[in-house]
């Protein structure tokens, strides 16, 4: 499924997490674009019939599709965002949506640090393979050095949750 954009974008939020953990309910689709693409993305969305609802308090723009479905567009400018969006193209979910790879999704959610994001991180990492955990640890070592203790705590919390269920 191509949303509206011929450049790199990646699905994030609940729709993305279902690739890495049991699905949770959501009423929208969250899409990440690079900050450099903000103006062109707005034009493309309008041309595709989307209606801009304005910014949300969490730092994204809410758009409503012609079918009345909400899409939240987030813009990132961190050094890893362009790589993450390029990799998302080769990481589709069951519907063909380009999903951010686990290491980048965890980075994004860690930086956001909302309660739901922290819960998502623990659940995703609680089911991750050792290879995936190694990739996440490497991403943190490169992009968020010094946060390894918090990362290890989230891994442990996630693993404990799944051991007790």
């Amino acid at each position: 499924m191509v949303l509206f954009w011929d450049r790199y974008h990646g699905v994030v939020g609940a729709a993305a997490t279902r690739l890495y953990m049991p699905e949770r309910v959501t009423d929208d689709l969250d899409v990440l674009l690079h900050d450099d693409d903000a103006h062109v993305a707005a034009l493309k969305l309008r041309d595709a019939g989307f209606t801009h609802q304005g910014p949300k308090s969490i730092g994204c723009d809410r758009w409503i599709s012609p079918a009345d479905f909400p899409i939240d567009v987030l813009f990132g400018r961190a050094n890893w965002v362009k790589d993450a969006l390029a990799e998302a193209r080769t990481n589709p979910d069951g519907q063909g949506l380009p999903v951010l790879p686990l290491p980048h999704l965890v980075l994004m959610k860690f930086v956001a640090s909302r309660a739901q994001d922290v819960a998502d991180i623990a659940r995703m990492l609680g089911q991750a393979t050792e290879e995936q955990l190694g990739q996440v640890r490497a991403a943190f070592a490169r992009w968020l050095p010094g946060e390894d203790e918090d990362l290890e705590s989230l891994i442990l919390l996630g693993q404990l949750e799944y051991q007790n269920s």
Side-chain angles (χ1 to χ4, degrees):
M1 171 183 176
V2 174
L3 292 172
F4 56 85
W5 189 239
D6 55 358
R7 294 185 50 127
Y8 295 140
H9 63 279
V11 173
V12 296
T17 62
R18 68 183 178 187
L19 200 58
Y20 308 110
M21 67 180 214
E23 189 169 1
R24 66 175 171 85
V25 177
T26 187
D27 62 352
D28 65 6
L29 180 67
D30 299 323
V31 178
L32 176 67
L33 301 174
H34 192 273
D35 204 42
D36 293 344
D37 295 329
H39 180 70
V40 175
L43 295 174
K44 293 271 191 179
L45 284 162
R46 281 194 184 94
D47 289 348
F50 286 72
T51 305
H52 188 238
Q53 298 293 297
K56 289 180 64 177
S57 62
I58 61 167
C60 64
D61 281 339
R62 164 77 39 119
W63 292 82
I64 304 296
S65 76
D68 204 33
F69 186 79
I71 296 180
D72 292 339
V73 181
L74 297 88
F75 296 98
R77 66 177 76 88
N79 292 336
W80 53 265
V81 170
K82 285 186 179 181
D83 289 342
L85 296 176
E87 289 178 36
R89 291 182 91 133
T90 62
N91 192 44
D93 69 3
Q95 295 178 315
L97 295 171
V99 174
L100 243 57
L102 182 62
H104 296 106
L105 187 59
V106 172
L107 282 171
M108 189 193 86
K109 287 183 163 291
F110 187 88
V111 169
S113 291
R114 297 176 310 145
Q116 186 62 61
D117 293 319
V118 173
D120 286 346
I121 292 169
R123 288 186 184 111
M124 289 187 298
L125 297 179
Q127 292 196 318
T129 65
E130 282 304 315
E131 179 182 350
Q132 290 172 317
L133 292 175
Q135 293 167 351
V136 171
R137 287 178 177 118
F140 268 67
R142 179 173 181 192
W143 301 112
L144 292 176
E147 299 293 350
D148 53 318
E149 188 175 329
D150 287 341
L151 174 63
E152 293 302 324
S153 294
L154 289 167
I155 292 170
L156 180 59
L157 285 172
Q159 291 171 338
L160 289 171
E161 178 178 342
Y162 286 107
Q163 284 177 357
N164 294 326
S165 57

